[in-house]
Amino acid sequence: MKESFVMILLLIIVPTILPFFIIMIAGNLKYNKKIKKGNMLEIKNVSKKFIVNNNEINVLNDVNIIFPNKGLFVIKGKSGSGKSTLLNLIAGYDKPTYGKINYNEVDLCTVNENELSSYQRNEIGFVFQSYNLFDNLTVYENLLFSTDDINENVVDETLTKLEINHLKKRKVKQISGGEKARVAIARALIKTPKIIICDEPTGNLDSKTADEVWNILKKLSSQILVIVASHDTELIKKYADVILTLE
């Protein structure tokens, strides 16, 4: 009965981005209804195992989530619960041991390399925990690595949206941590993805700067799907539309 109630909330209330609520994800939670219009990403019965020193480690166990096409979804959980692993599966950087990652009803585990590359290049933008920027290149040059089809007007528009256009010609090693976070978001955003995935994007920032970055992600989530892995309880409560807890 409780599972049915949670499912109704996720499929009906979430797509309209109504007030904040919490969904707990456990291994035995099932979503039995089909994807409705507006739900483009489905994690279905996903498990992930690793072999370390001949020992099998279960990182994710039968995870089921349905995401709509917009909103700010936060994945939380203690260290080692599988937050980063789940983000890597969604991005197609790794494959689940069992289960499916469906994007627009296509299982990413079954597509060829060109199709997967197209998904990663055109459909998602990834903000890494360490940002993965090139320190010796300018902000503008870093954005060039995001897509083959780019012009300076698009760069200016994106940087202006994130209030860092004045940094365009500055080398990354010369800017602050908060500014690097904005550049990383700009690099993800500039290719107009359907999904932005962020792995602990504010973990190394002070509270004021972290709040500013979360506010940016919140604004973006009104138009696209933003999935964030984080352990910052206060900011999660303040900004998340949905909290997904891995146990």
Tab-separated table of all heavy atoms in Angstrom, residues 29 33 56 71 74 78 97-98 103 119 124 130-131 143 155 169 176-177 180 187 191 193 196 198 202 213 227 234 242:
chain	number	residue	atom	x	y	z
A	29	LEU	N	11.989	-1.958	-3.163
A	29	LEU	CA	11.004	-1.028	-3.710
A	29	LEU	C	10.855	-1.261	-5.201
A	29	LEU	O	11.829	-1.266	-5.941
A	29	LEU	CB	11.443	0.413	-3.460
A	29	LEU	CG	10.513	1.515	-3.967
A	29	LEU	CD1	9.148	1.398	-3.309
A	29	LEU	CD2	11.111	2.877	-3.697
A	33	LYS	N	4.408	0.352	-12.652
A	33	LYS	CA	3.668	1.017	-13.717
A	33	LYS	C	4.594	1.414	-14.856
A	33	LYS	O	5.781	1.649	-14.670
A	33	LYS	CB	2.949	2.249	-13.164
A	33	LYS	CG	1.861	1.886	-12.159
A	33	LYS	CD	1.049	3.102	-11.791
A	33	LYS	CE	-0.069	2.731	-10.823
A	33	LYS	NZ	-0.884	3.880	-10.456
A	56	GLU	N	33.420	-10.335	-3.658
A	56	GLU	CA	32.331	-9.670	-4.367
A	56	GLU	C	31.683	-8.638	-3.459
A	56	GLU	O	31.249	-8.946	-2.347
A	56	GLU	CB	31.294	-10.701	-4.816
A	56	GLU	CG	30.194	-10.113	-5.678
A	56	GLU	CD	29.232	-11.174	-6.187
A	56	GLU	OE1	28.313	-11.533	-5.418
A	56	GLU	OE2	29.409	-11.641	-7.316
A	71	GLY	N	13.270	18.932	-13.046
A	71	GLY	CA	13.243	18.893	-11.593
A	71	GLY	C	14.620	18.651	-11.020
A	71	GLY	O	15.532	18.185	-11.719
A	74	VAL	N	17.914	14.787	-5.862
A	74	VAL	CA	19.152	14.630	-5.114
A	74	VAL	C	19.272	13.199	-4.607
A	74	VAL	O	18.340	12.656	-4.009
A	74	VAL	CB	19.222	15.606	-3.931
A	74	VAL	CG1	20.501	15.369	-3.127
A	74	VAL	CG2	19.175	17.044	-4.422
A	78	LYS	N	25.177	7.495	2.812
A	78	LYS	CA	26.487	7.508	3.442
A	78	LYS	C	27.569	7.143	2.434
A	78	LYS	O	27.288	6.622	1.348
A	78	LYS	CB	26.503	6.548	4.631
A	78	LYS	CG	26.276	5.099	4.260
A	78	LYS	CD	26.239	4.224	5.510
A	78	LYS	CE	26.012	2.759	5.134
A	78	LYS	NZ	25.967	1.880	6.329
A	97	THR	N	25.517	-4.574	-13.325
A	97	THR	CA	25.681	-6.029	-13.362
A	97	THR	C	24.373	-6.681	-13.784
A	97	THR	O	24.358	-7.634	-14.569
A	97	THR	CB	26.103	-6.551	-11.977
A	97	THR	OG1	27.263	-5.829	-11.538
A	97	THR	CG2	26.426	-8.035	-12.029
A	98	TYR	N	23.289	-6.150	-13.261
A	98	TYR	CA	21.941	-6.584	-13.631
A	98	TYR	C	21.066	-5.342	-13.786
A	98	TYR	O	21.355	-4.286	-13.235
A	98	TYR	CB	21.324	-7.492	-12.556
A	98	TYR	CG	22.160	-8.674	-12.162
A	98	TYR	CD1	22.802	-8.712	-10.928
A	98	TYR	CD2	22.333	-9.764	-13.022
A	98	TYR	CE1	23.585	-9.789	-10.553
A	98	TYR	CE2	23.115	-10.845	-12.654
A	98	TYR	CZ	23.740	-10.851	-11.420
A	98	TYR	OH	24.510	-11.912	-11.064
A	103	TYR	N	16.574	5.115	-21.368
A	103	TYR	CA	16.447	6.534	-21.718
A	103	TYR	C	15.529	6.638	-22.919
A	103	TYR	O	15.828	6.096	-23.986
A	103	TYR	CB	17.810	7.149	-22.041
A	103	TYR	CG	17.733	8.611	-22.416
A	103	TYR	CD1	17.457	9.570	-21.446
A	103	TYR	CD2	17.911	9.027	-23.726
A	103	TYR	CE1	17.366	10.921	-21.780
A	103	TYR	CE2	17.830	10.363	-24.069
A	103	TYR	CZ	17.556	11.306	-23.101
A	103	TYR	OH	17.454	12.639	-23.431
A	119	TYR	N	24.628	9.783	-26.977
A	119	TYR	CA	23.878	10.057	-25.739
A	119	TYR	C	24.719	10.895	-24.788
A	119	TYR	O	24.247	11.909	-24.239
A	119	TYR	CB	23.490	8.726	-25.095
A	119	TYR	CG	23.039	8.821	-23.658
A	119	TYR	CD1	21.765	9.290	-23.336
A	119	TYR	CD2	23.879	8.421	-22.620
A	119	TYR	CE1	21.347	9.370	-22.015
A	119	TYR	CE2	23.466	8.496	-21.297
A	119	TYR	CZ	22.198	8.968	-20.995
A	119	TYR	OH	21.798	9.045	-19.685
A	124	ILE	N	23.352	14.442	-22.176
A	124	ILE	CA	23.713	14.687	-20.783
A	124	ILE	C	24.895	15.635	-20.674
A	124	ILE	O	25.716	15.752	-21.582
A	124	ILE	CB	24.061	13.378	-20.038
A	124	ILE	CG1	25.349	12.759	-20.601
A	124	ILE	CG2	22.912	12.394	-20.085
A	124	ILE	CD1	25.906	11.628	-19.754
A	130	SER	N	35.609	16.884	-8.921
A	130	SER	CA	36.825	17.707	-8.997
A	130	SER	C	36.790	18.647	-10.199
A	130	SER	O	37.796	19.288	-10.520
A	130	SER	CB	38.056	16.801	-9.068
A	130	SER	OG	37.968	15.922	-10.174
A	131	TYR	N	35.644	18.678	-10.875
A	131	TYR	CA	35.355	19.544	-12.024
A	131	TYR	C	36.055	19.124	-13.314
A	131	TYR	O	35.556	19.374	-14.403
A	131	TYR	CB	35.664	21.014	-11.713
A	131	TYR	CG	34.987	21.506	-10.463
A	131	TYR	CD1	35.686	22.238	-9.505
A	131	TYR	CD2	33.651	21.216	-10.208
A	131	TYR	CE1	35.069	22.680	-8.344
A	131	TYR	CE2	33.018	21.646	-9.046
A	131	TYR	CZ	33.737	22.370	-8.115
A	131	TYR	OH	33.126	22.797	-6.965
A	143	LEU	N	35.446	25.393	-22.349
A	143	LEU	CA	34.105	25.153	-22.880
A	143	LEU	C	34.144	24.564	-24.279
A	143	LEU	O	33.215	23.853	-24.686
A	143	LEU	CB	33.289	26.443	-22.876
A	143	LEU	CG	32.397	26.645	-21.628
A	143	LEU	CD1	33.224	26.697	-20.352
A	143	LEU	CD2	31.538	27.881	-21.765
A	155	VAL	N	28.837	30.825	-26.131
A	155	VAL	CA	29.693	30.854	-24.947
A	155	VAL	C	29.354	32.053	-24.075
A	155	VAL	O	29.167	31.934	-22.854
A	155	VAL	CB	31.184	30.895	-25.348
A	155	VAL	CG1	32.061	31.114	-24.108
A	155	VAL	CG2	31.583	29.608	-26.048
A	169	LYS	N	38.403	34.918	-20.548
A	169	LYS	CA	39.781	34.857	-21.042
A	169	LYS	C	40.788	34.545	-19.929
A	169	LYS	O	41.993	34.533	-20.180
A	169	LYS	CB	40.140	36.168	-21.725
A	169	LYS	CG	39.306	36.432	-22.981
A	169	LYS	CD	39.729	37.707	-23.685
A	169	LYS	CE	38.904	37.947	-24.941
A	169	LYS	NZ	39.308	39.189	-25.646
A	176	SER	N	38.635	31.129	-8.556
A	176	SER	CA	38.324	30.512	-7.275
A	176	SER	C	37.572	29.191	-7.444
A	176	SER	O	37.125	28.845	-8.543
A	176	SER	CB	37.477	31.467	-6.431
A	176	SER	OG	36.178	31.593	-7.005
A	177	GLY	N	37.405	28.483	-6.326
A	177	GLY	CA	36.683	27.210	-6.363
A	177	GLY	C	35.244	27.371	-6.794
A	177	GLY	O	34.730	26.567	-7.585
A	180	LYS	N	35.172	27.952	-10.448
A	180	LYS	CA	35.416	26.693	-11.172
A	180	LYS	C	34.142	25.860	-11.248
A	180	LYS	O	33.855	25.235	-12.282
A	180	LYS	CB	36.523	25.897	-10.485
A	180	LYS	CG	37.909	26.490	-10.658
A	180	LYS	CD	38.960	25.655	-9.928
A	180	LYS	CE	40.351	26.266	-10.076
A	180	LYS	NZ	41.377	25.492	-9.334
A	187	ARG	N	30.124	24.320	-18.795
A	187	ARG	CA	30.594	23.333	-19.776
A	187	ARG	C	29.543	22.245	-19.999
A	187	ARG	O	29.358	21.760	-21.114
A	187	ARG	CB	31.916	22.720	-19.313
A	187	ARG	CG	32.552	21.801	-20.334
A	187	ARG	CD	33.887	21.267	-19.858
A	187	ARG	NE	33.761	20.481	-18.641
A	187	ARG	CZ	34.790	19.914	-18.012
A	187	ARG	NH1	36.014	20.076	-18.482
A	187	ARG	NH2	34.600	19.217	-16.920
A	191	LYS	N	25.997	22.577	-24.208
A	191	LYS	CA	25.525	21.709	-25.290
A	191	LYS	C	24.033	21.426	-25.195
A	191	LYS	O	23.536	20.501	-25.844
A	191	LYS	CB	26.323	20.407	-25.311
A	191	LYS	CG	26.360	19.654	-23.994
A	191	LYS	CD	27.291	18.458	-24.101
A	191	LYS	CE	27.346	17.673	-22.806
A	191	LYS	NZ	28.204	16.480	-22.917
A	193	PRO	N	21.917	20.042	-22.873
A	193	PRO	CA	21.544	18.653	-22.585
A	193	PRO	C	20.136	18.550	-22.022
A	193	PRO	O	19.559	19.539	-21.569
A	193	PRO	CB	22.584	18.242	-21.527
A	193	PRO	CG	22.829	19.522	-20.782
A	193	PRO	CD	22.791	20.599	-21.833
A	196	ILE	N	21.410	17.145	-16.588
A	196	ILE	CA	22.690	17.515	-15.995
A	196	ILE	C	22.901	16.651	-14.763
A	196	ILE	O	22.026	16.567	-13.892
A	196	ILE	CB	22.749	19.012	-15.633
A	196	ILE	CG1	22.840	19.857	-16.909
A	196	ILE	CG2	23.949	19.300	-14.727
A	196	ILE	CD1	23.000	21.337	-16.658
A	198	CYS	N	25.431	15.836	-11.533
A	198	CYS	CA	26.458	16.481	-10.714
A	198	CYS	C	26.878	15.564	-9.573
A	198	CYS	O	26.033	15.137	-8.778
A	198	CYS	CB	25.952	17.791	-10.122
A	198	CYS	SG	25.297	18.974	-11.320
A	202	THR	N	29.528	20.691	-4.758
A	202	THR	CA	29.891	21.748	-3.805
A	202	THR	C	30.625	21.194	-2.587
A	202	THR	O	30.730	21.864	-1.561
A	202	THR	CB	28.628	22.497	-3.341
A	202	THR	OG1	27.715	21.569	-2.714
A	202	THR	CG2	27.924	23.151	-4.511
A	213	VAL	N	25.837	27.978	-5.829
A	213	VAL	CA	25.877	26.940	-6.865
A	213	VAL	C	24.568	26.152	-6.872
A	213	VAL	O	24.000	25.865	-7.931
A	213	VAL	CB	27.088	26.011	-6.651
A	213	VAL	CG1	27.016	24.813	-7.601
A	213	VAL	CG2	28.385	26.776	-6.865
A	227	ILE	N	20.252	15.966	-11.740
A	227	ILE	CA	20.447	14.900	-10.760
A	227	ILE	C	21.757	15.171	-10.030
A	227	ILE	O	22.814	15.274	-10.656
A	227	ILE	CB	20.509	13.517	-11.436
A	227	ILE	CG1	19.242	13.268	-12.272
A	227	ILE	CG2	20.663	12.421	-10.386
A	227	ILE	CD1	19.303	12.000	-13.109
A	234	GLU	N	21.635	20.305	4.763
A	234	GLU	CA	20.895	21.570	4.814
A	234	GLU	C	20.533	22.070	3.418
A	234	GLU	O	19.403	22.496	3.172
A	234	GLU	CB	21.716	22.625	5.567
A	234	GLU	CG	21.890	22.337	7.042
A	234	GLU	CD	20.552	22.192	7.758
A	234	GLU	OE1	19.668	23.018	7.529
A	234	GLU	OE2	20.403	21.237	8.542
A	242	VAL	N	13.059	16.403	-4.968
A	242	VAL	CA	12.911	15.013	-4.529
A	242	VAL	C	14.244	14.549	-3.953
A	242	VAL	O	15.296	14.798	-4.547
A	242	VAL	CB	12.493	14.084	-5.684
A	242	VAL	CG1	12.356	12.644	-5.188
A	242	VAL	CG2	11.195	14.551	-6.316
